[in-house]
Amino acid sequence: METEERLAREISEIYKSGRQGIVLEASCRQEWEKTVDFLQRETFGGLAAAELRWGRRAQNGTPVYAPGFYQRLSIPRLLDWEDLEEARPGQYLAMVLERLAGDKGVGLLLLADFHLLPPEARTVLTAALVQLLSRGEKDGPLFLITVEKRESLPEALFPCVRVLSVERPDAATLDAQVERIGKEMGLCLPLGFRREIVSYLQGFHSYEVAYLFSRAARKYGAAAFDPVKRRVLELISAEKVKLLDRDRLLEWKAVRQVDMANMEILARYLEESGRILANLDETAREGVDTPKGILITGLPGTGKSLFAQYAAAKLKLPLLRLEMGRMMGGLVGDSERNLRNAQRQAEEMAPCILWIDEIEKGFSGTGREGKSEGAYLQRMAGSFLTWLQEKKSSCYLIATANSLEGLPVEFFRKGRFDECFYTSMPTERELKEILRVHLSRPERRHVLPKAEEAIAQILRSAAAGQRFMTGADAGALVSNAFRRLYLDYHDGNQEQTMEKKEYDQKNIGRILLEEFKKLRVFGETNGDEIAVYHKAIRKLNFIRASEKGEETNYDLILKDFIADRLARIEERGTFSPDPRRP
């Protein structure tokens, strides 16, 4: 059954049960027009359906706003304008509505874009609607009102109406539509590619799908629906950016392939969740719950954000980013409303990955006894946790946190996130793998064999000087080295007799060592933060994201460094976030 038909049947059931006033939350006409068509045919086939709009007409030679008919079916009589001449323009629509409401030949009265009415007309019309809907006439017409957001609806109307949101089509409806449009266009879409297209289309309305296919075909030709080139996905992604940019609550992130040099345990857990998400119908029959998502905590630069990209590419799902700072509104209730709307948008676009970056920025303070930063934070946290507990959609959540301080303990209880993981300061083995990943990019891999000895020397120097790196530090080191190689080569290019790749291979070891000496690594600037974090994580029942492996001399020195820092903190009696303090 089409989404529009389901909505029409729901409206019909509500109306037949005695509720005359129904509000549709919709942003444009195309979202509800088919629903009204279904209602006309199925519920009000023998009665007139009138849409009242604001137009312009001349009154005594002066243009004024006045109500007009949009005749969906024949109206038994035309408006007699003469007896409205003395009324103020703001009263026109209410007067016409009252007359039509008493006409037994009218079954449906549609008031579209209620939020766009002039203030005077909206005030008078609201009073008229409250009066008409309070009568409870069983054989009265259906008052169908459309509004962009329910917040635009006057409070006086809420007790008299039922508010419904125009839902976007589910995956099954979109899949059927994609299959039909594909056949009409003569396309042969492999099943896997078709499912990926459907996942990208989540969040769009049915009427937009044919347009997107047509535009992709005109813009890219045969490459649009080629399973290898997949240009249609680029176009849908670009359109979805515009779709989300309207409310500025969620950010659409382009998915890119990334290599994870650590987090083996977390990657295996993700793979298992992905198998369930890909077969939800089957797993539901087998009693398996839909995966909710994971929480990853760790120091800055240890790969948490990178994992969200890795997960989206691995599961072939769209990636949406929710930044908690965007949720904060200036008026009472704005923050909670923004968060609810963001959650609703994400579920409409499921299956997808919803990445909540630095989740502690939105909820820190709610978990500190006597230090709450406001009741609205507690309401936001409660609303979020309830949503997470009850969420049934295939919107897979990846929440990252640099710190757990101030977050309520309810976040870590079973039933909210599927599992909670933590990342540590990288071990020697992990740092070697991270550096090799950065050096293995196609444009860099020619230097990798020549860089192995330099990597070993860098790690020995790091341990000796207690200059411990994060994954971000390792990435910056390689980036700085290639910047230096480029500049040095081209500065002396007139005297160079060797090719650039040969020059890189000859000098990569020296440059890496020199750049490491200049690099201000996380271990130097944030020693106290490392120590406090590792102490805190030992108290929690979180799962380590990466395999521990055999400890090396580097790892033992790092462990001693953390223990020594903790001893200094306890001796001082305070944690120093200032990196200049010893």
Side-chain angles (χ1 to χ4, degrees):
M1 186 186 296
E2 294 280 347
T3 306
E4 296 86 357
E5 185 177 354
R6 283 199 300 268
L7 180 57
R9 295 191 184 281
E10 184 178 2
I11 291 172
S12 182
E13 287 297 320
I14 294 170
Y15 170 68
K16 290 175 181 177
S17 300
R19 177 72 82 179
Q20 283 181 268
I22 294 177
V23 175
L24 289 182
E25 189 178 28
S27 58
C28 64
R29 185 178 191 88
Q30 292 94 325
E31 293 180 15
W32 52 259
E33 194 154 31
K34 277 191 176 181
T35 298
V36 175
D37 290 340
F38 277 117
L39 281 170
Q40 285 182 225
R41 291 197 306 270
E42 301 295 329
T43 307
F44 303 105
L47 298 172
E51 179 183 343
L52 275 66
R53 290 182 178 178
W54 275 99
R56 293 175 68 87
R57 64 182 287 267
Q59 183 180 24
N60 299 325
T62 304
V64 295
Y65 280 106
F69 269 129
Y70 180 80
Q71 296 187 3
R72 307 189 69 88
L73 294 179
S74 59
I75 302 297
R77 57 179 171 72
L78 296 175
L79 284 175
D80 180 5
W81 290 106
E82 292 182 3
D83 58 353
L84 294 176
E85 290 294 329
E86 301 302 321
R88 295 198 312 273
Q91 295 176 319
Y92 288 152
L93 200 55
M95 293 176 67
V96 173
L97 186 72
E98 288 173 345
R99 294 185 187 186
L100 290 177
D103 192 321
K104 299 301 181 183
V106 177
L108 179 98
L109 285 169
L110 175 62
L111 289 163
D113 295 328
F114 186 87
H115 54 287
L116 296 180
L117 290 175
E120 182 185 0
R122 191 162 58 242
T123 301
V124 176
L125 186 58
T126 298
L129 278 168
V130 170
Q131 185 177 12
L132 288 168
L133 293 172
S134 299
R135 295 175 185 173
E137 296 179 0
K138 292 185 178 180
D139 57 347
L142 167 64
F143 295 85
L144 190 61
I145 304 165
T146 73
V147 64
E148 186 176 30
K149 292 183 179 179
R150 64 185 67 198
E151 290 81 18
S152 305
L153 206 63
E155 290 188 14
L157 272 181
F158 277 103
C160 309
V161 298
R162 172 74 180 275
V163 182
L164 300 175
S165 294
V166 177
E167 295 181 357
R168 288 164 172 78
D170 57 20
T173 303
L174 285 172
D175 187 54
Q177 192 173 4
V178 167
E179 186 178 17
R180 176 177 55 78
I181 294 173
K183 288 179 179 178
E184 291 173 357
M185 295 176 66
L187 302 173
C188 183
L189 299 174
L191 181 60
F193 184 41
R194 194 178 82 204
R195 286 178 176 171
E196 196 168 357
I197 292 174
V198 169
S199 73
Y200 272 65
L201 286 171
Q202 294 285 170
F204 288 101
H205 286 283
S206 296
Y207 69 86
E208 297 172 294
V209 177
Y211 156 75
L212 291 169
F213 267 57
S214 175
R215 187 171 173 208
R218 291 176 65 86
K219 187 172 183 179
Y220 299 117
F225 301 100
D226 185 296
V228 177
K229 296 180 180 177
R230 303 145 58 90
R231 302 303 295 274
V232 66
L233 299 183
E234 293 180 23
L235 185 136
I236 296 172
S237 297
E239 290 295 318
K240 191 159 281 190
V241 169
K242 299 174 186 175
L243 184 70
L244 293 174
D245 204 42
R246 185 182 65 192
D247 294 324
R248 299 184 180 276
L249 297 177
L250 297 177
E251 179 184 357
W252 175 269
K253 300 291 290 185
V255 177
R256 58 189 178 91
Q257 296 287 339
V258 296
D259 292 319
M260 294 300 301
N262 50 0
M263 301 194 189
E264 303 90 347
I265 295 172
L266 182 50
R268 284 198 295 269
Y269 188 85
L270 175 75
E271 190 270 335
E272 293 173 355
S273 298
R275 285 165 54 193
I276 297 171
L277 287 168
N279 300 280
L280 284 179
D281 292 340
E282 178 184 342
T283 54
R285 289 194 298 270
E286 298 292 333
V288 181
D289 291 334
T290 301
K292 298 177 184 294
I294 54 176
L295 171 68
I296 312 171
T297 185
L299 293 164
T302 52
K304 304 182 300 299
S305 299
L306 193 65
F307 186 80
Q309 284 281 353
Y310 170 84
K314 195 74 174 175
L315 302 186
K316 295 184 178 180
L317 291 177
L319 178 63
L320 306 177
R321 179 174 177 262
L322 188 157
E323 185 181 349
M324 292 306 302
R326 291 189 181 189
M327 300 300 105
M328 303 308 167
L331 300 176
V332 175
D334 280 355
S335 301
E336 302 96 296
R337 187 182 305 115
N338 288 340
L339 184 59
R340 285 196 304 271
N341 289 337
Q343 291 164 355
R344 177 178 54 80
Q345 283 184 1
E347 291 202 309
E348 286 174 347
M349 296 187 180
C352 65
I353 289 178
L354 178 61
W355 167 30
I356 303 184
D357 193 21
E358 297 184 354
I359 193 172
E360 74 275 14
K361 288 186 176 180
F363 300 115
S364 281
T366 57
R368 298 177 187 170
E369 186 177 353
K371 295 184 180 181
S372 174
E373 295 180 23
Y376 80 93
L377 280 178
Q378 294 179 341
R379 291 195 300 270
M380 281 183 69
S383 174
F384 174 77
L385 291 172
T386 300
W387 172 72
L388 193 57
Q389 179 99 23
E390 299 175 355
K391 183 174 70 69
K392 302 297 182 185
S393 72
S394 52
C395 167
Y396 191 74
L397 193 65
I398 296 181
T400 62
N402 291 331
S403 170
L404 300 178
E405 186 180 3
L407 281 175
V409 294
E410 290 82 3
F411 270 67
F412 318 130
R413 289 177 184 164
K414 295 294 183 183
R416 270 53 188 271
F417 294 97
D418 295 326
E419 287 292 354
C420 296
F421 293 86
Y422 74 93
T423 60
S424 303
M425 285 293 289
T427 63
E428 180 178 355
R429 175 187 63 82
E430 290 168 349
L431 280 173
K432 285 181 178 178
E433 291 177 4
I434 292 168
L435 287 165
R436 286 168 184 155
V437 164
H438 285 289
L439 289 166
S440 295
R441 280 170 40 179
E443 66 275 17
R444 294 174 176 173
R445 63 178 57 150
H446 59 283
V447 306
L448 185 55
K450 301 292 185 179
E452 290 290 349
E453 177 56 33
I455 291 174
Q457 289 185 47
I458 287 169
L459 293 176
R460 287 196 294 270
S461 174
Q466 295 189 339
R467 301 179 62 230
F468 302 105
M469 290 188 289
T470 63
D473 291 330
L477 172 60
V478 175
S479 177
N480 293 348
F482 273 82
R483 171 189 169 91
R484 189 77 267 145
L485 285 168
Y486 173 83
L487 294 173
D488 288 354
Y489 178 80
H490 289 283
D491 283 348
N493 193 35
Q494 294 178 354
E495 301 176 7
Q496 295 295 338
T497 58
M498 63 180 69
E499 295 291 333
K500 176 65 166 54
K501 286 188 176 181
E502 184 182 354
Y503 177 85
D504 292 347
Q505 291 170 338
K506 179 180 178 181
N507 293 281
I508 184 63
R510 173 180 60 82
I511 296 293
L512 279 171
L513 289 166
E514 289 175 1
E515 290 301 318
F516 177 68
K517 290 177 183 177
K518 294 187 287 184
L519 191 67
R520 291 281 286 171
V521 299
F522 196 80
E524 287 180 284
T525 59
N526 299 78
D528 280 9
E529 187 177 348
I530 294 171
V532 170
Y533 168 76
H534 280 79
K535 179 181 179 181
I537 207 67
R538 285 197 295 266
K539 297 180 180 180
L540 297 169
N541 191 27
F542 283 18
I543 299 172
R544 186 185 174 96
S546 60
E547 293 176 345
K548 196 168 184 180
E550 185 177 347
E551 288 185 325
T552 65
N553 184 58
Y554 177 98
D555 304 330
L556 293 172
I557 293 174
L558 174 60
K559 186 183 289 187
D560 290 342
F561 168 82
I562 293 170
D564 181 57
R565 280 287 179 151
L566 281 174
R568 292 191 200 181
I569 292 169
E570 291 173 1
E571 184 178 341
R572 289 197 308 261
T574 181
F575 159 62
S576 172
D578 187 346
R580 295 166 296 184
R581 186 169 175 175

